Amino acid sequence: MKIRNIMVSRFQGFTLIELLVVIAIIGMLMGMLFPAVTKARLHARKTAAKAEMKSIEMGLDRYYSEYKCWPDVFGGRNPEVDKARVELNLDQVLRGGNPIPDNPSLPPTNPKKFMFVDLKKRNKDNLPVSPLGTNYWVKLDTDFDNKIRPGRFGPPADPPDKEVNRNVIVWTAVDPPECSQIITSWE
């Protein structure tokens, strides 16, 4: 007579200790990964902001090439000395529209309705903002010597810190209102 050895295998699950060790290891890996992902996302937003600033710069240059003047949307301020925020009037002109002038006898700012640049990201007031959620600022070469002079108040709030050989400069802050770190179109 043959004797069979019947092996009865009984499945045993993971113990509580094993599960806790695995969860702890996953938690440590996530803890190491999270700061790297956050840093990569910030770097991506900074890169996108720099690309948009170049677009604004080129759009203003194209506007100047077309109309042989800068858009008159700065409210009497000198846009070479006083920084100007890219807000509704300038945004409308660059997108091919015309801001409503205070004086109807004035000619339209963009009579041919060319679109020079279209900034997609908007805040709750429908103003263009950078991918970081901050405002764009602009200075223009109004005396046409291809130089933007240092700001009155100095960087970081009023760049540049030295003369820049360009017609247009654009910048945004990473951390307003401190402005300890700015992203510029000219560096």
Side-chain angles (χ1 to χ4, degrees):
M1 182 177 203
K2 263 183 168 178
I3 300 178
R4 277 196 214 171
N5 280 339
I6 300 177
M7 300 271 300
V8 177
S9 80
R10 192 174 135 203
F11 176 79
Q12 293 185 344
F14 296 110
T15 66
L16 182 60
I17 299 294
E18 291 170 332
L19 287 175
L20 289 175
V21 167
V22 169
I23 290 172
I25 290 171
I26 291 172
M28 287 188 323
L29 291 173
M30 292 294 288
M32 290 187 307
L33 184 64
F34 185 70
V37 169
T38 303
K39 189 181 255 187
R41 290 180 67 201
L42 178 61
H43 182 70
R45 286 195 301 268
K46 286 179 182 180
T47 303
K50 188 134 181 137
E52 279 193 354
M53 287 187 293
K54 289 289 187 185
S55 294
I56 294 170
E57 194 175 277
M58 288 188 309
L60 284 164
D61 277 336
R62 285 192 303 265
Y63 181 96
Y64 183 81
S65 294
E66 183 62 37
Y67 295 117
K68 304 298 182 230
C69 66
W70 297 116
D72 186 22
V73 294
F74 295 101
R77 296 185 316 266
N78 180 354
E80 184 169 1
V81 177
D82 298 320
K83 63 184 178 182
R85 187 171 74 172
V86 177
E87 50 191 17
L88 195 57
N89 288 344
L90 182 57
D91 178 50
Q92 286 176 339
V93 169
L94 292 175
R95 285 183 14 206
N98 282 303
I100 300 169
D102 295 335
N103 185 348
S105 65
L106 293 175
T109 310
N110 187 353
K112 296 179 184 176
K113 299 190 184 298
F114 289 145
M115 180 179 286
F116 297 101
V117 67
D118 187 15
L119 302 170
K120 302 290 184 201
K121 187 166 171 71
R122 307 265 165 196
N123 65 10
K124 60 182 169 112
D125 299 323
N126 200 30
L127 297 176
V129 292
S130 74
L132 300 161
T134 57
N135 294 318
Y136 288 114
W137 297 88
V138 175
K139 285 188 181 178
L140 306 172
D141 175 27
T142 55
D143 57 6
F144 308 104
D145 62 353
N146 198 32
K147 292 181 181 165
I148 304 285
R149 297 197 177 34
R152 289 184 190 175
F153 308 108
D158 194 10
D161 58 349
K162 60 183 184 263
E163 212 168 67
V164 177
N165 293 328
R166 289 191 175 222
N167 293 329
V168 179
I169 61 171
V170 185
W171 72 93
T172 189
V174 174
D175 56 350
E178 295 85 20
C179 297
S180 63
Q181 184 182 7
I182 61 170
I183 303 170
T184 62
S185 65
W186 65 91
E187 293 175 336

